[in-house]
Amino acid sequence: MDVPVDVLIHNTVVGMKGEEGTLLLVGDGFYEVNCRFGGSVHRVLLPVGSTVLIAKQPEERFAVDLEIER
């Protein structure tokens, strides 16, 4: 993923289930994201091992007749 990118965040440690945020940096074992808590935006470090990030923008679809060499 290129950064910054808008993501959906899943992390059971802090109770995030599809929360919207912005991925700022992929560090050594952590993601640095901005996300909204209450009425404010906070910078949060989330461990890679217990966090799933899903890009909000879907990938482009390829043509069905596209051949991929293996």
Side-chain angles (χ1 to χ4, degrees), residues 1-47:
M1 273 187 217
D2 294 328
V3 291
V5 64
D6 291 330
V7 293
L8 300 173
I9 307 165
H10 296 267
N11 181 293
T12 56
V13 176
V14 292
M16 300 176 101
K17 296 180 181 178
E19 303 296 324
E20 294 184 1
T22 303
L23 175 64
L24 302 173
L25 174 77
V26 178
D28 187 22
F30 66 91
Y31 298 116
E32 184 175 342
V33 297
N34 277 351
C35 55
R36 187 169 296 279
F37 286 105
S40 302
V41 175
H42 296 271
R43 185 158 298 179
V44 181
L45 300 178
L46 298 169

